[in-house]
Amino acid sequence: QGQLVEFGGGSVQAGGSLRLSCAASGFTFVRKCLGWFRQTPGKDREMVASLGNDGISTWYADSVNGRFTISQVAAKNAVYLQMNSLKPEDTAMYYCAATDFTTLASCPEWYYKYWGQGTQVAVSS
């Protein structure tokens, strides 16, 4: 069994930045897709950024493209989400997630099996 734990959430004014961290225990990120998701009350979970099982390929939701960056340090079993130019609509609970070993170069949301507990991000205007 594996676990993911997020760190780095908080409150920030619009235009500010936050860096979210996610640490894994019990497994490595080798050949696994990694993703960051967010959810607000009453709305469906949304994938905002993902890293392919090659550890290089990235994908971003249109709403965050150009502002958010996903990266990893495989040796530390850690994945990060750098969030810049934050907007009030970025306010959400943010979750990191990982798949099992996969041969897919990219993974759909339903592939993600391991989830963190979430870290709250609040952006005020």
Side-chain angles (χ1 to χ4, degrees), residues 11-73:
S11 299
V12 64
Q13 294 185 6
S17 298
L18 286 173
R19 183 176 176 85
L20 306 183
S21 301
C22 176
S25 62
F27 65 98
T28 71
F29 291 152
V30 177
R31 302 298 294 175
K32 297 178 174 68
C33 291
L34 306 173
W36 284 96
F37 298 77
R38 67 186 182 189
Q39 188 169 27
T40 57
K43 295 186 177 182
D44 291 337
R45 186 174 58 211
E46 173 191 23
M47 185 164 68
V48 297
S50 67
L51 188 65
N53 71 346
D54 59 1
I56 300 174
S57 302
T58 59
W59 175 92
Y60 299 96
D62 289 343
S63 59
V64 307
N65 193 34
R67 299 187 297 117
F68 290 11
T69 303
I70 186 172
S71 62
Q72 71 164 343
V73 179

Side-chain angles (χ1 to χ4, degrees), residues 2-5 22-29 34 76-79 96 98:
Q3 289 186 311
L4 298 170
V5 180
C22 176
S25 62
F27 65 98
T28 71
F29 291 152
L34 306 173
K76 297 173 63 177
N77 291 333
V79 60
C96 68

